[in-house]
Amino acid sequence: MRLFDKVLHPGSVHGIAGLRTRLLMQFLCATTFLYGAGVVATVLPHGDRVTADITGGVIALCLGVIGVLMLWMRPRTTAGHGVALAAAMLATPAVMAFHVLTAAQFPCLIAAMFLAMYIRAFHRDRDARILVGILVALVLLAVLRSPAPVYPITYLIFAVAVFAAAETFGTVTKALIAASCTDPLTGVFNRAGWEIATADAVTGLRARREDASTVPVTVAIVDVDDFKTVNDTDGHRAGDELLVGLAATWAQSAPEGAVIARVGGDEFAALLTEQSTAEVDEFVRATVASLPYASIGVATSTDVEEPISDVLARADAELYRAKRARFTR
């Protein structure tokens, strides 16, 4: 899960920003709707029943709208995600701080637990624990400020519930996503991870750069020459060790921010964004020097509408032209 954790932060150009953004948007929409419905239900006539102060609900409603707008206008930016997450973390404690009934605090606790799971699953371990700690502190301060009477043990129950949700369900979710996106042998992305990471990288490039149409996007692909012979002669363990070494060597020589993935049995691909022609050429030279037993194909595109799959196909065609030329020599 190390590779996955390394790219799980809001500013990452090849994390799973799309999924992270969608889930946070869904959480904000759901909680904002519920808090808005609570405000409406409170102000409607209902006899002599005890009602809550709508101040917290109004604050949460405003925060939710701000968060949704930030994710809608700036979905793949650090600022957009940060503001939306802050709004989500403040909204539920704002409601809890004005509850009159103790029983009304527990439904809000469910929202805090879901948010803690989201934070733990989609942020780096250290950052996630800090954010969950802040969320717990906000929830406890809200309960302390609330006019609703609570037993002292209630604070412990709330803190343990939020922390436990984060560390159990959040960690499991993170592990499942990591397993589905990572090649278990080499530790780089698998084909599914490649599809997600490259889509995020290109979308992030467009979000960060107004002139993204002029920024080259390069795909390089390497393939071990006559890999079947290695397996047949030295055994599959030797073949596995060769692939592990190739992935480690290639990832080490790749420019910062490159997406590395195993896209086939002995085929590996790299996506380079915002690198100059000189940097790409240096990467190719380093690949040829460090991987003499492999062939390489490269394709570059400046068309933001061209799918990465098409660029990968062109790089694959170049790879096999290079492979045929090597065998001919």
Side-chain angles (χ1 to χ4, degrees), residues 284-307:
V284 172
R285 283 193 294 270
T287 299
V288 172
S290 60
L291 303 175
Y293 50 86
S295 298
I296 183 171
V298 181
T300 300
S301 174
T302 56
D303 181 6
V304 295
E305 300 300 327
E306 183 177 12

Side-chain angles (χ1 to χ4, degrees), residues 23-170:
L23 289 178
L24 184 56
M25 175 72 83
Q26 291 168 1
F27 175 85
L28 282 168
C29 288
T31 53
T32 302
F33 171 79
L34 291 174
Y35 295 146
V39 171
V40 173
T42 301
V43 299
L44 290 176
H46 39 37
D48 296 330
R49 285 183 294 165
V50 177
T51 61
D53 187 341
I54 66 169
T55 304
V58 172
I59 293 174
L61 187 59
C62 294
L63 288 170
V65 171
I66 291 172
V68 169
L69 289 176
M70 288 299 296
L71 287 181
W72 179 56
M73 294 186 297
R74 308 183 67 182
R76 301 296 177 88
T77 63
T78 302
H81 179 271
V83 171
L85 182 59
M89 292 176 64
L90 291 169
T92 296
V95 176
M96 298 176 73
F98 292 91
H99 272 315
V100 176
L101 297 176
T102 304
Q105 301 285 29
F106 287 91
C108 292
L109 177 63
I110 296 174
M113 293 170 64
F114 272 109
L115 184 59
M117 286 186 275
Y118 165 83
I119 291 172
R120 189 68 179 87
F122 291 96
H123 292 78
R124 289 179 174 179
D125 288 342
R126 179 175 176 274
D127 297 341
R129 291 191 176 101
I130 292 173
L131 289 171
V132 171
I134 294 173
L135 178 61
V136 170
L138 290 172
V139 168
L140 296 183
L141 288 173
V143 175
L144 179 63
R145 188 263 174 220
S146 169
V150 295
Y151 292 107
I153 196 174
T154 303
Y155 296 96
L156 178 62
I157 293 173
F158 278 33
V160 170
V162 176
F163 273 123
E167 291 301 317
T168 53
F169 297 105

Side-chain angles (χ1 to χ4, degrees), residues 178-193:
S180 68
C181 296
T182 306
D183 176 49
L185 176 64
T186 62
V188 298
F189 284 117
N190 58 16
R191 189 58 182 257

